Structures are given as C-alpha cells and as structure tokens.
Amino acid sequence: MNGFLYDIKRTLTGKFTIIIVILLVLITGLTAYSVGVTSNSSTPGSVAIVMPYMNDTGHNLTISDYAINGYGAPVSGLKISSQLENFTGNGTTYVHIKGTTGSNGYFNTTVPYNSSTNYNYNIYLSYNDGSSVGLRMGVGFSNGHMSNYSECCIQQSYSISYSHSNGYSLYTANVREKGDGSAIKTMIFNRNYTSSTAPLHLYYNTSSTFNTNVYPNSNLNTKNVTGYGTMKSAEYTVILPLSIRNNGEYVNLYLANGTSGSTNVAPVAFTSFLYVDNNPGIALQGALVTFFGVLFVPILGIFSAYFYYSKDRASGIIESVIVRPITKGKLFLSRFIGTSVSFLAGIIIALAVADIILEHYTGAFISAGFFTEMLAGYLIEAIAFAGIIYLASQFIKSQGAVLGTGIGLLFALGFMWQVISGALLFLLKIKSTTSVYSKDSLILNAFSPSYFPYILADYYKNAFGTVTAASVGINIYSVIIIGIVWLLVPAGIAFYFTRKRD
Amino acid sequence: MITISHLSKSFNKFKAVSDLNLEIKNGEIMGFAGLNGAGKSTTIRAMAGIIFPTSGTVSIDNNDIVREKVKASKHLGWVPELPNFEVNAKPIPLLKYYGGFYEYGAGELDKKIKELMEEFGIYNYRNRKLKYYSQGMKKRFSLIAAMIGDPDNYLFDETLNGLDPQGVKEVRDIIINLKKDGKSVFLSSHILSELQNVADKIAIIKNGQLIKILTREELVNLGSSGIKIHITNPDKGVIDILSSFGETSLTGDYYFIKKGGNQDPAGINKELVMKNYMVDYIGRENETLEEYFLEMVK
Ligand SMILES: Nc1ncnc2c1ncn2[C@@H]1O[C@H](COP(=O)(O)OP(=O)(O)O)[C@@H](O)[C@H]1O
Ligand SMILES: [Mg+2]
C-alpha cells in the first residue's frame, strides 16, 4: 500500500482514535440525555388531536370525530367520551356520547336534533390503554353551522385552528414531519368536502408581528404572498419551506378560491401561527456550546495532535518512520488527515448517538441542516486546534514545551477567550453598550477557533443576540472564509515548515 | 551503492559537516571514524533523509535522498546511535508498522519479522513491551527495524559501541554477512580499532571535514602489533630497558614498544622482572592504530 494511505489507516485504527470516539459519544450522549429528559414536548406518536364535525341532516345531528396524532396520522383506538349540551329556553339537557375511533381515525354517531336550539359539544379523550392524553375540546353548533372550535391543553408545539366560511369547514393542524425535527407539517382538513367543493389556493407569508387584518373579507394581493399549491381534496398536507431562520416569526396562511394567478383574491380562510422551531438540535446545541465547545473540543484537538504527531516528533521517535519510503510532507499530511478523519468519525458518531437519544425523548430527530451545522462547527474547531499544535511542533523541540503550549492555548483561545477579548475591548475603550462593541467582540471571536461553532450557529439561525446575524456581517462568505482559514492555515503553515526544516 | 557528493550541513552558523565526498560501493564496508562531535551522526542523519543537507547531495542506488526520497529510502536501512522507539509498543506490531511501508505480499511480512526476530534471538521476548527490553535487546531490535525492508544499503551509527564482546562479535558477523550479500555498509565509530577488523576502508572525519581515507593495506600496516606493558612500580629506568627492544613511548600508565626488532614479550618480561619491576600486564596490542588516529584527529 501507498505509504501515505498506509499511515492514515494506522492512525485511524490506533487506540487513541477509539478513545476519542468513546469520549465524544459519552459527552454528547450524556448531554443529549439531559436535554431529552428535561424536554417537555411529548412524543408525537402519543399525541391526539381531534377534529369534531357536526352536520345537520334534518332530524338528526351527525357527529363525526376525526383523530390524528402528532405526525398527522389517523389515531385508532382513541376513547372519546363526550357530551352534547343542548341549550333550550328552559334549561340545558345533556346527551352523553361514548365511543372509540376506528382504524381510519373516525368515530361517527348520530343524535336526534332540534334545530331551534344551540348545541355545545365537549369532548374528553383517552387512549384504549387507559392513559389520558389530557385533551379537552369543544365545538359549538347553532343555526345549522358549526362554529368556534376551542381547544385546551394540546401539548407544546402542536396547534390546531378552525375556520368556517363560505361553506368550507376547515381545520388547520400543525404537526411534526417524521424524520425532520425542524419541519412543521401543516395539515388542512375540509370536513365538509364533497366532490363539488371548489378547489382552494394556498398562499403564505411570514411577518414579525401578529397579522390580524386579512380574514376573511379584505382582498389579498397575491404579490405580497407566496403561492404554495391548490387543495382539491378533503385533506391537504403542506410543508412550508421554513427553517430555523424563521424561528419566532408569524406564519400566515391564506386559503382562497377563485382563479389561480389573479392579483387580488378574497381569502375564505386565514390562519396565523407563531413559528417555533421544535428541532431538538437547538436545545442540544445550547447545552453543548459551553463545556463541549469551549473546553472539550479544544482539549480533543490539542491532545490528539500531541499524541498523533507532536509527541513522536519532539521525542525523535518519528525519525524511525521518516527513514521509511515516505516523504516528510506526506508523513505530516497522513498524520494530520488521520487526526482530522478521526475527529470527523468521532463527531458524526457522537451526534448520531445524541440524535437517537433525542428522538427517543422528543420524538424528533435533529434536522439534517442542524446536524451538518454542528458537525462542521465542532470539526473545524477541533482541526484548527490540532493544526495550531502541529504548527507549534515545527518549532518547539521538547514534549513538555509542546504540552505547555497546548495548555496555554486551551486557556487563551478556549475558556478564557471571552475574558481576554473583553479586556481587549476595555483597553480599546469601547463601551459594552454600543453596537460597535458587539461587532468588535464578534471580530475577536473569529480569532479563536473555540468560537467558530458560535459564529456558525449565529449564521444558521440568522440571529446575533437581538439583531440579525447578517446585520453584523455574519453571512455565507464570512463564515466560509473563517472556516477555511481555521481549517487550512495553521496546518498549511506547519506543512510548509515541515518540508523545509529539519 | 551510496554516493555522498559535496555534502555540507550547518546548524545556524555552525558547520557540522563540510564538503564531504564519499562513495560506498556494493559489497563494501566503509568505516567512518572521528571523535565525538566530529560530525558522524550529522552525516548519517543527512544520508538517511532525517535532516536536510545545507548543500550537496546524497544518493542511494542513484536516487537522491531529498528529491527522490521514497525510492532512496526503499533501499536504505538506518540504525540510530541510540535506539529510540515508541516505548509502549510491542516489537511485532511496531515492526509490522515499519514493514507496511515496503511492498510485501500477504503473510510475507509476518514471516520476515519472525525470521529476523529469531535470527537476532529476541523472538522469545516478542510479547514484551520495548520499554522492558535491555540495551542489547533494543540494539538488536534497531537492527531488525533497519533490515525489515531488506534494503541494499545500510547506515550504522556507532552500532558496535556499548555492546559486550559477545555482542560486538555478533554484530560484526552480521555486517560481514551483509557485505557478502553485496550490500554497501557505512559504519561509524569514535574508536578506530573497533572498525579495523571489519571495514574495507575507513574515512576519518575531523571537525566536519574528511581528512583521510585509510585503505585495507594501510590499515594492516598501521594495525600491526606492538607491545603494551603495565608496571606497578615504574621509575625512570624502565624506558632505558625497554628502548633496547624498540622505540618506546609512555601513554598514561602504559608503555608501548613499536614493532620491529626482537620483540618477544616473554623475553621483555624476564628482563624487567630481573630488575625487580613488577609487571602486571604485557601483551601484543594494536595501539598504534588508535595512536595514529588520535594523533591525526587531535
Ligand atoms: N541539531 C543540532 N543543532 C545544533 N548543533 C548540532 C545539532 N546536531 C549536531 N550538532 C553539532 O554538530 C556537531 C557534530 O555532531 P554529531 O554529528 O552528532 O557528532 P558525532 O556523531 O561525530 O559525535 C557537534 O558539535 C554537535 O553539537
Ligand atoms: Mg554521533
């Protein structure tokens, strides 16, 4: 085998690589566990959202309850205990209705009906196994129309709304997309859909404040919104292209009939919800960013570089390898690439384990984007620290001095960097309340690899404190440049010197 | 075949090796003698590709050690002055690592390692970590590490130094066998006489400069015997007695009579004893070689 690939293989199969992977998995796994057990969102599979529908069929009231879970799939075997309150002029009468949803998620029943009175229909739910899902909801019925759906106690990050207009009886439920924790799947159900129901066009936009001014009469200028598609059936699944960057924004959905493509349409339904990204990666990242990002990853980078390269170089042991058929440059690269690949493998495995743990507790996986963002941030950070140690080893000839330098770096660029950059800004007499301060502290953060994951996360969320990341210069270009600099510059300079110096 | 051409190596301003030219042919053992600090290890490390020459070139079977490092190193084995290996490693995995840089077929490397370890008598200690090896075992391991790629050229840096007489004999035999196999061997030492019985030629280096190359014939002449004597109660009269047997000198506590004339140690001993001198050592010695050497490199 080629000496270069051969040496990489040896690095990767070494004991130290296994230790790295185990440590990474332990720390991220434990972090994910603590994030998971403290999260208050239920597993989507055990959530039940019920959409009651009542229809006047002359002498009877047809009641049809349709239940879905947190993924939008029909829930069978859900026990529904409900009561129909009949408000008449001389008091209220009650009809108790009990039943269980069938495999298609429906529970249908019929009760005698008197059109001159108003009805309230209240529902209590529990699963067949006896566990309560804690939901209580109600719907009113008067003048032959269903109205004002009210819900109580739907678990965090699920939502449902009801609107009735122009003959449409529409539920809009926000549920989870299996396999993508950050995606919100919006499901629209038309409970009185028939084959002659006119299609509805869906438009949406986002706003930073709650939008009250559209429903249902004012015309909607379709230039201000984005068209999503057309609903031509009883059920319509919508996954809006929202990302963590929309976290905290209001999402407005407009359903309108009429010609698709016309400039002004009259919405028949409107719903607005606050977008809260329920990606468990947010909580994981928040938990990892301090200990893991500022202390553990630097230690990982520094000590790996020491064990894979500096120790052998400073002790002269590497000479017994240099005399083999391989060049100094290739030997350097093979060790460095081996180190980097072991970080890559370790972080991927660790995040994957964390992902599985989080899914177990929250029902959602870290999104692919978040996974990639965390992987890139910590990988580049670890490689940067390793690169700095590889560089230091070109000039420092004793093992003790290399280790000392590493520990110094851990202090300076790791957990003391905030103090150091704060002191620098103080010496530069920049007031901490000014916007210059936050910009300058950001610039200083770019000078420590420990803070690269922060910058990347800010970019990914497009939020830097209370302002957008873009407004302080965090954009795709600056992030890529800083990343590439940390990835290649320390190692590149070290590579140059190893080929030129003894 | 190793060719050193105009090799110089400086550390900052200090010239450790200057303009060295040497050629070691196939089947030739070249000794490399010089006092401590003369530049032997520096030369050897540059030849092995560990340090870069400041100027000049070294080629191994016509491959430049700097520009064609991979090819050159394939044909070169290096035994360091001091064994320096991963202390926590066990010999077989480490030899496998080294051997992996060469082209071995499946199973061949394992076989080679076993053969070499058996030949050098450390196979029984194969499960012991290198840090628990004795100095002699470490040295043997170094030799195996140099031979693992089965190269045609060898650099031995003071390899005979620090071995017990048995070890010296063993290593000498190994080196002579390498020569028989047509390999070129470069062997340094700070003791000229150590090289005398093994080298075909000895290059002598002083302050980084080559001062002489002694051939086999010169070695034989220089190395011819004289008589070395130690007396426990010496006085001025000793020189007079000994001078009658040949040119006599005193180095330290030892008297030395250069060769020539009637030099029967028994006769000299009898003469001294009759004059009431107490002789506790008398024998034929190759002192002149060392003397010659020290004189030259002073
Ligand atoms: N890395 C180095 N840096 C500075 N000086 C060195 C270095 N290596 C060797 N020297 C100097 O070069 C000279 C020759 O050393 P060396 O080749 O080890 O001698 P020898 O092996 O003949 O005893 C000595 O003066 C030594 O101090
Ligand atoms: Mg030396």
Side-chain angles (χ1 to χ4, degrees), chain A residues 502, chain B residues 9-12 14-17 32 34-45 51 81 157-158 188 190 205 208:
Chain A
D502 288 341
Chain B
K9 176 68 186 178
S10 301
F11 297 109
N12 300 317
F14 176 73
K15 270 207 147 182
V17 176
F32 193 41
L35 297 180
N36 285 327
K40 302 182 296 295
S41 295
T42 303
T43 304
I44 287 178
R45 289 159 64 78
I51 56 176
E81 187 168 1
D157 197 354
E158 308 250 10
S188 79
H190 65 279
I205 183 176

Side-chain angles (χ1 to χ4, degrees), chain B residues 105-220:
Chain B
E108 280 178 45
L109 179 59
D110 293 356
K111 215 175 108 204
K112 177 91 184 170
I113 290 171
K114 185 164 185 269
E115 270 169 21
L116 283 170
M117 288 183 79
E118 276 169 349
E119 184 184 337
F120 283 82
I122 60 168
Y123 190 68
N124 287 340
Y125 306 99
R126 62 188 175 280
N127 292 322
R128 202 179 277 188
K129 282 185 178 179
L130 290 171
K131 66 176 166 191
Y132 302 122
Y133 270 33
S134 69
Q135 281 311 315
M137 285 158 75
K138 279 184 188 158
K139 204 130 207 173
R140 282 164 222 240
F141 180 82
S142 294
L143 284 160
I144 297 173
M147 294 170 82
I148 194 73
D150 204 10
D152 292 328
N153 305 278
Y154 286 89
L155 307 174
F156 293 100
D157 197 354
E158 308 250 10
T159 305
L160 295 170
N161 187 242
L163 290 176
D164 55 29
Q166 173 69 18
V168 169
K169 189 187 171 310
E170 276 174 23
V171 175
R172 213 172 253 169
D173 290 346
I174 289 162
I175 291 174
I176 288 165
N177 279 333
L178 290 173
K179 171 192 160 79
K180 281 185 192 149
D181 290 343
K183 320 256 171 180
S184 28
V185 176
F186 193 55
L187 169 66
S188 79
S189 176
H190 65 279
I191 303 163
L192 189 62
S193 54
E194 218 174 57
L195 301 170
Q196 191 186 11
N197 296 337
V198 59
D200 298 315
K201 287 178 185 166
I202 300 179
I204 295 172
I205 183 176
K206 177 184 172 185
N207 297 334
Q209 277 169 319
L210 184 68
I211 53 173
K212 194 169 177 70
I213 300 180
L214 296 170
T215 61
R216 186 100 219 162
E217 297 76 61
E218 286 172 293
L219 282 171
V220 170

Side-chain angles (χ1 to χ4, degrees), chain A residues 1-4 6-7 10 15 311-312 315-317 319-328 331 335 497-502, chain B residues 9 11 45 48-52 69-70 73-74 76 78 84-87 93-94 96-102 145-146 148-149:
Chain A
M1 202 194 302
N2 172 318
F4 169 66
Y6 170 73
D7 201 78
R10 181 173 191 255
K15 256 187 235 155
K311 183 168 68 76
D312 287 0
S315 65
I317 285 173
E319 289 173 2
S320 65
V321 186
I322 289 175
V323 296
R324 309 291 157 190
I326 187 167
T327 62
K328 282 186 180 182
L331 183 60
R335 294 281 170 105
F497 280 113
T498 204
R499 295 176 71 228
K500 291 279 171 270
R501 289 167 55 98
D502 288 341
Chain B
K9 176 68 186 178
F11 297 109
R45 289 159 64 78
I50 297 164
I51 56 176
F52 293 114
K69 167 82 173 51
V70 174
S73 294
K74 202 169 273 178
L76 189 67
W78 167 68
N84 185 12
F85 300 101
E86 237 168 274
V87 285
L94 193 54
K96 271 192 184 167
Y97 172 47
Y98 295 150
F101 287 97
Y102 305 88
I148 194 73

Side-chain angles (χ1 to χ4, degrees), chain A residues 119-134:
Chain A
Y119 289 88
N120 241 2
Y121 180 51
N122 292 311
I123 299 171
Y124 306 88
L125 303 172
S126 65
Y127 278 113
N128 253 350
D129 61 9
S131 66
S132 169
V133 293

Side-chain angles (χ1 to χ4, degrees), chain A residues 273-295:
Chain A
F273 62 88
L274 179 66
Y275 180 73
V276 180
D277 198 304
N278 52 37
N279 188 331
I282 296 178
L284 180 67
Q285 186 177 53
L288 285 179
V289 88
T290 44
F291 169 74
F292 186 76
V294 178
L295 191 65

